[in-house]
Amino acid sequence: MHNATSLRKLFLGAALAALFVSGAPTAVQAKKAAAAEWPVVTSPVKRDDAMEARIAQIIAGMTLRQKIGQMTQPDIRSITPDEVRQYYIGSILNGGGAWPEGKKQAAVSDWVALADAYYKASMATDMAVNVPVIWGTDAVHGHNNVFKTTLFPHNIGLGAAHDPKMIREIAHLTAKQVRATGITWAFAPTVAVVQNPRWGRTYESYSSDPKLVRSYAREFVGGMQADLKGPDAVIASVKHFLGDGGTHGGVDQGETRSSRANLIKTHGQGYYGAIEAGVQTVMISYSSYTDSGTGVAHGKMHGNRELITDVLKGKLGFDGLVVSDWNAIEQVKGCTRTRCVQAVNAGIDLFMVPDDWKKFIDEAVADVEAGKIPMSRIDDAVTRILRVKMRSGLFDGSPMPTVAAASHMADSKVRSLARDAVAKSLVLLKNSKRNLLPLSRKSKVLLVGKGADKVGSQLGGWSLTWQGDETDDSDYPLADDMLSALQKTVANGGKVDFSADAAGVDVKAYDVVIAVLSERPYAEMKGDVRIPETLRHSDRYPQDLAVLKAVSGKGVPVVSVLFSGRPVYANNLINLSDTFVAAWLPGTEGQGITDVLFRAADGKPNRAFRGTLPFDWPGAACPEVSKKPVLFKRGFGLTAIKTSKLGKLVEDKLATCPALPE
Ligand code: GLC
């Protein structure tokens, strides 16, 4: 009996043969046509006939309103457990900055109590068969919404580490953190293959290398979902389908212009890896898609039936559930945030309608009753939702954890893995002084920089709050910023003095200056650097240039460490540094940085630099219009023993960038 895959191969082979026989396009053109075809990928999670029969039997006993309730996902700030019962709600989420009872420092037990209340409410409806609710959360660098959780480096740093096995372990320990709070679904991994570092979500991308993204997607999903049913298993959500990282000018939620072939070859890779690992949910992208080969503008992805149904569910054989993004359906032409027939018919199964969910339910019921949405589409959506819930064991009983599971948030295992990931993520871009690194722990260190004593500068967005702002070090009692990491590293006669701006400091009294350069935290569109802004870091953060000017050229070596969510144009900062390290957004374990910068306590070298750039590093303030857009190619990275012959870099004077050709 042929399965879909072999049938597809058969069809493709027959089609190519037909082409030859008809003498139509040449072999090269036919090969190109085949290459522009979506790959055959196979999920290890097979259909279970008994499960499918049970799903059909449950659906047969559901009313239309119960079915639409299953397809609705409110935010916890706008729905009570009893409303989950009343409205037959299938899923809830906590958006960034949503915590139990609105408490930023809510305890793990508060999360578990709320999850248990929602679960119990969903099992107390008047349905013929109760369907347990599933809670989704953005655990994108650890379980980052929860107080006192160990946070891993954001994806950009993990991409620099080039370590797929580590990704699997990070996903596994993140799943243990998530399950410890009673939650069973994470909106991760992001598999954007970012083309332009102007995008505010560059740091959520592993790399511009599609092959690395595919291998990471496979390992992350495998590590997070495990065998789908264990106490540590969490359903993953590969996102954002399709082409989120390729928008014109790097504009968030913008227009991705790509040939079909490039969509397949570049932007699709993370989905192939995730499906090969059995991913059970896919989140749709806010972006729109214009086929640069044909010029056809296909509009917003949330209305794209061809890519969601014909490709993702058809050709790629994805049989889990497809979820919309936060109010994203309102961006589809002719839609509102509570009504979008096009998005339902395009193949989206679960709708993230955080606030106006009651109206969404009423309007969707009306649209089905009016014949605008076929009941078969509703039944397909609910089938997929129930299939994911059954596969994940939700029907087998309460997913609530033991009290002991709370230790998984920041136990020694998770902290040492996070610290190891930080060390592996660091990329040495300049090292002009022979034998400067690794530093002695007995050094007299002057630490400067506005972000050096603020752990928030190394966490980025999606850290307790959506934007990673409105927090301070008291929100991260277990974390190490650079100051505390140095204080735990330097000893035996060494010392660390801190001055944010080095004002009035006699630099010559020290053996070395460590200068922390940093971006403010941001997420999504709030992190975009849009034309005419340049990619020059010091345009946005002049204090970083000022502090380097204050400490450089005094006969004391300057080691600069940059916390950023993207590669930036930094020639002026690199010129003022003897050593320059890209540290990305390393998370809570700041000692991962000092592990590499300093020798071990016994004076021997500790950890070597091994990170390499996951993206090209800009060589111009406006790379789009420069003849020398790249300073360091993706894959570049020095080791401490290798000094760089960088010399003084030319400093681009452009203060603004010209508009891109439309
Ligand atoms: C956001 C993001 C998405 C996230 C969702 C829920 O807008 O685009 O990545 O999972 O909302 O927070």
Side-chain angles (χ1 to χ4, degrees), residues 93 95 138 187 201 239-240 283 286 325-326 352 462 524:
L93 85 145
D138 290 287
F187 301 136
R201 305 190 76 165
K239 66 184 188 182
H240 310 78
M283 187 182 293
Y286 282 107
D325 204 335
W326 185 278
M352 192 184 293
W462 304 104
E524 303 193 55

Side-chain angles (χ1 to χ4, degrees), residues 10-26 30:
L10 210 63
F11 167 72
L12 215 51
L16 290 178
L19 277 175
F20 291 131
V21 168
S22 66
T26 64

Side-chain angles (χ1 to χ4, degrees), residues 25 46 121 136 157 177 185 195 208 237 273 285 333 426 448 470 563 591 610 627 644 658:
K46 301 303 175 199
Q177 292 177 329
W185 182 16
Q195 306 297 302
S208 59
S237 188
S285 177
K333 198 157 175 283
L426 305 178
V448 298
E470 296 166 6
F563 295 143
Q591 290 190 79
R610 47 161 281 180
K627 289 191 179 59
S644 56

Side-chain angles (χ1 to χ4, degrees), residues 450 515-519 537 544 547-548 560-563 573 580:
K450 64 192 184 304
V516 169
L517 315 173
S518 57
E519 291 186 312
H537 175 86
D544 288 350
V547 77
L548 279 181
S560 291
V561 177
L562 172 64
F563 295 143
L573 308 177
F580 197 92

